[in-house]
Amino acid sequence: MNMNMKKIDKKELKEIIQSGHLNLLIGSGCSLDYLSTLKDIEDKMNVEATREAAQKDYYKLIKKSKAILNDALELDGAEKTKLIISKQNYDSFLGFWADKVSKRSLHIVNKQVNIFTTNFDMFMESSCERLGVPYNDGFTGQISPIFNVANFNKIQKYKSLQFDNTSDIPLFNIIKLHGSTSWTAKGEKIVYSDGSHIADDLDDKTGDDFNNGYSQIAVINPNAEKHFETVLDTNYASMLRKFTLELEKENSVLMIFGFSLADKHIKNLLYGVMKSNPTLIVVYFSYSQYDEALDKFEESKNPNFYVISPEADFSFEKSTKYLLEIFGENELSEQYEDDKK
């Protein structure tokens, strides 16, 4: 594997993971085995004549993703195999991070990982459930959970039974910048849903019949203007602010997986923070071999931006294997549940 652009060796990367304030940015490439990306979707949503057709294509992906929480909904054998593989990839990836942060002993950094994602799917939440990893999805309440960005600032701790000793609970903050299939808007609030608000019969509907059902799904359309409801608008701005605030912290690290940085909102925010915070380190896992001559990421302007570029396609699964290699592991050395005992 080539390390293009500025050099960062495995030892340095290991130290960054062990001592930095950890932030991950996850894109659609991480769910690609099961949920395909829609080419030209943004262009089609920006044109009135093709907008509804593009929304229907997006809706089909959203509806398909309901099988992540209920695999009985996936009736195609080949697709069910892809679903299983995707779940395994997320389990390995999140298991790696849970394993590493649970072993942190430094007092200057907590045991939390902020996971920012533009994905609407529930792969990460379902993986955390399988792994037994505590996570914060921004909701509070048991009967009718309500979403609030401020909930991501909460820190959970263990307290021993016999003494007052406390320790941070390893925790993932899952911050879904573009909304989620678990979100449904009710007035000025975002309420948690198991996906039942996503209708199964919108494929053949048009006009108001389609729009009424589609509007129940609290995800941001992938168009240039990012048109969405007011309640999503407010939370979208708050989550982007959370993104910049976390990266502005001293010795923060952002590792990017399955994300092309084509989203101008996020890219501009990231590049702005890189200029203002020289201690921020950004490590980009490139899916395909990076062409330095194109200077795609303006490397000359961003001295704290590193690209890990492969000889061939660098899938989500291969990214996890590379991370394990950094720590001299071929597979996770311990299950997260063992660390909690």
Side-chain angles (χ1 to χ4, degrees):
M1 179 178 299
N2 288 333
M3 290 294 207
N4 293 335
M5 302 174 65
K6 296 172 296 299
K7 302 298 181 182
I8 182 169
D9 60 30
K10 290 182 178 180
K11 182 180 179 181
E12 289 176 303
L13 196 52
K14 181 178 179 179
E15 291 174 354
I16 288 170
I17 291 172
Q18 289 177 320
S19 61
H21 294 286
L22 290 173
N23 302 277
L24 310 179
L25 179 56
I26 304 295
S28 58
C30 296
S31 303
L32 189 58
D33 283 324
Y34 183 62
L35 298 174
S36 60
T37 56
L38 297 174
K39 295 181 179 179
D40 303 323
I41 184 72
E42 185 169 307
D43 293 336
K44 291 176 181 177
M45 281 200 179
N46 285 328
V47 178
E48 182 66 32
T50 57
R51 182 169 299 138
E52 185 173 294
Q55 287 177 331
K56 282 193 172 183
D57 288 340
Y58 201 47
Y59 157 73
K60 290 175 182 176
L61 269 187
I62 293 170
K63 184 175 73 170
K64 180 183 175 72
S65 75
K66 290 167 68 174
I68 296 169
L69 295 184
N70 181 7
D71 57 11
L73 296 175
E74 182 53 76
L75 303 177
D76 185 295
E79 290 301 306
K80 183 163 286 190
T81 298
K82 293 178 182 179
L83 174 59
I84 293 171
I85 291 172
S86 292
K87 287 184 175 183
Q88 291 172 341
N89 289 340
Y90 271 95
D91 286 357
S92 296
F93 180 76
L94 295 179
F96 166 82
W97 292 106
D99 183 68
K100 295 299 164 277
V101 298
S102 67
K103 295 174 181 175
R104 283 186 161 190
S105 58
L106 298 175
H107 296 294
I108 58 173
V109 286
N110 58 36
K111 293 185 177 183
Q112 293 192 0
V113 180
N114 296 308
I115 306 179
F116 298 92
T117 181
T118 52
N119 297 350
F120 54 72
D121 64 62
M122 299 289 288
F123 273 122
M124 283 186 290
E125 294 93 328
S126 65
S127 180
C128 287
E129 296 276 351
R130 286 190 298 274
L131 294 171
V133 178
Y135 67 96
N136 184 350
D137 59 1
F139 285 91
T140 53
Q142 298 296 318
I143 298 173
S144 298
I146 303 296
F147 180 84
N148 192 318
V149 176
N151 290 328
F152 291 118
N153 295 326
K154 293 180 178 179
I155 295 177
Q156 297 185 36
K157 291 180 177 290
Y158 285 121
K159 183 177 180 180
S160 62
L161 293 175
Q162 294 178 312
F163 305 101
D164 287 334
N165 296 331
T166 61
S167 61
D168 286 356
I169 296 176
L171 176 73
F172 292 137
N173 284 319
I174 301 176
I175 305 164
K176 306 181 91 165
L177 300 171
H178 287 179
S180 173
T181 54
S182 65
W183 294 14
T184 183
K186 289 188 177 181
E188 295 300 313
K189 297 179 179 179
I190 293 176
V191 180
Y192 183 84
S193 170
D194 60 0
S196 57
H197 69 291
I198 302 170
D200 291 320
D201 60 353
L202 298 182
D203 301 77
D204 298 324
K205 293 185 177 182
T206 58
D208 290 341
D209 290 337
F210 171 77
N211 290 327
N212 289 336
Y214 188 75
S215 64
Q216 299 300 310
I217 308 170
V219 296
I220 295 172
N221 287 326
N223 57 341
E225 298 302 321
K226 297 287 188 297
H227 293 297
F228 37 84
E229 299 296 328
T230 303
V231 64
L232 275 178
D233 187 5
T234 302
N235 284 284
Y236 177 63
S238 297
M239 288 186 291
L240 288 180
R241 180 59 179 156
K242 171 73 172 173
F243 178 68
T244 56
L245 285 173
E246 290 298 330
L247 298 187
E248 286 170 354
K249 292 179 179 178
E250 189 173 358
N251 296 323
S252 283
V253 56
L254 176 69
M255 304 188 75
I256 305 174
F257 303 87
F259 194 82
S260 65
L261 284 178
D263 188 306
K264 293 180 181 178
H265 296 76
I266 295 175
K267 182 178 179 180
N268 290 339
L269 286 174
L270 174 59
Y271 280 33
V273 177
M274 280 195 289
K275 292 177 181 178
S276 63
N277 182 8
T279 69
L280 170 66
I281 294 176
V282 180
V283 182
Y284 183 91
F285 282 72
S286 177
Y287 176 76
S288 55
Q289 189 167 10
Y290 186 77
D291 188 345
E292 294 177 70
L294 296 177
D295 198 19
K296 181 180 177 182
F297 299 120
E298 301 176 346
E299 177 256 347
S300 58
K301 299 180 182 178
N302 296 310
N304 41 1
F305 193 106
Y306 299 85
V307 172
I308 294 180
S309 176
E311 296 286 356
D313 291 348
F314 201 30
S315 65
F316 185 39
E317 180 184 8
K318 290 178 181 177
S319 297
T320 303
K321 289 181 178 178
Y322 180 76
L323 290 170
L324 288 167
E325 289 173 4
I326 291 173
F327 286 82
E329 303 167 5
N330 293 321
E331 58 185 20
L332 288 177
S333 58
E334 299 178 42
Q335 292 296 319
Y336 177 76
E337 287 294 335
D338 291 336
D339 287 328
K340 292 203 298 182
K341 294 178 181 179

